[in-house]
Structures are given as C-alpha cells and as structure tokens.
C-alpha cells in the first residue's frame, strides 16, 4: 500500500509542486491525500486543487491560542489518515503536544545547513557572516524550531557575486531535490527516526544526515550510505 502523505503549506508551494510532479510521473510511490494551508491566499492551494488533491484551510488567526489552532490542525491532518506529514514552507511554530503527536512521521524542509541558521532570513544571515558554504536540509520535526534530527543536506559554494535573491533561487533548487528524496526514503520504509537518531537503510546517520555537495550541476554524496539515492 502506498504511503499516505499530508502536505502543509503557507504560500507558493513549489516544494509541494515537486512532490506532486514526482508522484504523477511515477517516480515517487506515495499518495498526496490532502494539502492544508494556514492561509486561504496560498498560491499552492490552487496547484494542489488542479492536481485533484483534497485541500483545506485552517486560518491560525481564527484561534485565540496556538494550542487551539494546533488541535484543529491535528484533527484535519488525522482525518486524512497520513503515514507522513510534510511541512513544505509551513510558516507556523507548533506546540509540544502537536509535535509529539507526529513524532517520527513529520518532516520539514529548511533553507540552510542545519544546525546552522534555524529560523528566518537564512540567506541574508549567511551573507552577513561571510560563509563560504550554504545549502538546504530536510529533517524530522521536534520541539526545537528547525532543530530536529537531520535526514539529508545539500551544500553549495557561496560566490562573491551572491545576493540573498540569488542564493534563494539556488538553495530552492536544492530543496527541490532533498524533500522528494526524503519522502521517497520514508515511503519505501527505508527511513526511520529512532531514539539514537535517524536511520537510513539500516545505517545510523551522522548529525548532518546524508550530505551532498553541489559540484557544477551535479549533487555528489559526501557522507551517508552509498544506497542514499536522490530522487531527481
Ligand atoms: C522554502 O524556502 C522553504 O524551505 C521555506 O519556505 C520556502 C517555501 O517555498 N521554509 P515553497 O512554498 O515550497 O515554494
């Protein structure tokens, strides 16, 4: 039976779109059963509806407390009976109860090399710090914002001409490889969050998960099991 996936978005939904395409083209064995946004205006909702995926909006502004929003969101997610919940640009911070409910079955994509630069404005912060490498990470979600165990990272070199916009575009391309790959591994029963960390194909991953480096146009694996294949 294929893996049932609920995707949470807040905006454009390009990461979600990559998942939709991968499923439609038969590269990703998963079923996108529902897309939920906290904003009715999220452009990604239209894209999901066009792909005939069930959509829902739960507006965080309609709730007086974070816990009440999280409870409503939990009900909406659980109702779709997902095996996996994917945060694809979902811009809300969760309560501990929410995170605990989905522990080991909720992953997030983040535009930085975690544990460096959790939170917002990662590209600006990388430029300010003068870092020479930057990238993206997919990780399991825990209480700490953008702090959960890393599944996979991809890094690229920052050049002298880089701006936040340029980095945003290049890092987003990395995200579009990492997120479907992590979903693919999970959907095939290859990825697991255990007490001692993330396991892929039976191997305990290091703190940065599987690490890829962008060399020219190619992502080359630097750390992690040789079986760790990117879904492209
Ligand atoms: C991505 O950069 C993601 O990492 C961040 O928000 C952005 C969402 O982009 N958290 P999209 O909605 O998937 O196009």
């Amino acid at each position: 039976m294929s893996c049932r996936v609920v995707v949470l978005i807040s905006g454009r939904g390009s990461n979600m779109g990559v998942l939709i395409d991968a499923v439609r083209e038969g590269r990703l064995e998963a079923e996108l059963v529902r897309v939920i946004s906290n904003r009715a205006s999220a452009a990604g909702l239209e894209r999901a509806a066009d792909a005939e995926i069930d959509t829902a909006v739960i507006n965080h502004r309609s709730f007086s407390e974070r816990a009440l929003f999280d409870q409503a969101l939990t009900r909406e997610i659980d109702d779709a009976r997902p095996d996996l919940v994917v945060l694809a640009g979902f811009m809300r911070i969760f309560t501990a109860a929410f995170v605990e409910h989905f522990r080991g079955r909720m992953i997030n994509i983040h535009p930085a090399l975690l544990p460096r630069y959790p939170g917002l404005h990662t590209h600006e912060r990388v430029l300010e710090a003068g870092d020479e490498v930057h990238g993206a990470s997919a990780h399991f979600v825990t209480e700490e914002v953008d702090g959960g165990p890393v599944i996979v990272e991809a890094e690229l070199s920052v050049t002298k001409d880089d701006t936040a916009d340029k980095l945003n575009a290049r890092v987003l391309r990395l995200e579009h490889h990492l997120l479907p790959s992590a979903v693919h591994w999970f959907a095939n029963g290859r990825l697991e969050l255990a007490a001692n960390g993330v396991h892929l194909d039976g191997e305990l991953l290091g703190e940065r998960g599987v690490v890829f480096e962008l060399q020219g146009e190619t992502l080359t694996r630097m750390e992690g099991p040789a079986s760790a294949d990117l879904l492209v």
Side-chain angles (χ1 to χ4, degrees):
M1 236 179 47
S2 79
C3 178
R4 296 173 64 84
V5 180
V6 166
V7 185
L8 305 191
I9 62 169
S10 293
R12 165 183 65 183
S14 69
N15 279 287
M16 175 208 70
V18 170
L19 294 176
I20 291 175
D21 290 344
V23 170
R24 198 189 46 218
E25 290 159 14
R27 290 179 284 121
L28 175 58
E29 270 178 70
E31 197 184 342
L32 305 180
V33 290
R34 185 167 293 172
V35 170
I36 305 172
S37 172
N38 62 314
R39 293 182 193 281
S41 59
L45 284 172
E46 209 171 308
R47 173 108 194 245
D50 285 348
E52 294 179 351
I53 300 168
D54 184 28
T55 60
V57 175
I58 304 196
N59 184 348
H60 58 279
R61 291 177 201 275
S62 314
F63 299 87
S64 56
E65 283 173 45
R66 194 183 291 281
L68 297 175
F69 168 70
D70 280 9
Q71 283 160 20
L73 187 59
T74 302
R75 282 195 296 275
E76 192 68 41
I77 297 171
D78 282 351
D79 177 64
R81 293 177 290 107
D83 301 297
L84 178 67
V85 179
V86 174
L87 309 182
F90 189 69
M91 306 302 280
R92 300 298 302 165
I93 292 172
F94 299 118
T95 54
F98 181 92
V99 170
E100 189 51 39
H101 184 77
F102 295 106
R103 179 176 292 275
R105 53 192 183 108
M106 181 156 66
I107 64 180
N108 181 42
I109 184 75
H110 181 73
L113 295 170
L114 294 171
R116 279 186 283 168
Y117 306 111
L120 299 173
H121 310 300
T122 56
H123 312 306
E124 287 84 350
R125 287 152 67 202
V126 160
L127 288 172
E128 267 164 38
D131 289 359
E132 289 175 0
V133 289
H134 185 32
S137 314
H139 66 98
F140 279 107
V141 176
T142 58
E143 291 79 29
E144 210 185 319
V145 177
D146 299 323
V150 177
I151 299 163
V152 59
E153 295 195 340
E155 58 180 50
L156 48 69
S157 303
V158 180
T159 71
K160 287 198 182 61
D161 310 326
D162 266 324
T163 61
D165 282 350
K166 284 185 188 173
L167 281 178
N168 180 46
R170 285 160 60 220
V171 168
L172 190 65
R173 285 217 298 276
L174 298 181
E175 295 179 36
H176 291 169
H177 289 291
L178 299 188
L179 187 63
S181 302
V183 173
H184 169 64
W185 297 336
F186 188 94
N188 284 284
R190 297 168 52 191
L191 181 69
E192 196 193 353
L193 177 63
N196 63 348
V198 179
H199 293 243
L200 177 65
D201 295 333
E203 193 172 303
L204 176 64
L205 302 181
E207 282 208 337
R208 299 182 59 202
V210 185
V211 180
F212 288 88
E213 189 182 293
L214 187 65
Q215 298 171 349
E217 290 296 305
T218 313
L219 280 164
T220 304
R221 187 178 42 79
M222 310 303 284
E223 282 178 41
S227 57
D229 50 335
L230 284 177
L231 197 76
V232 278

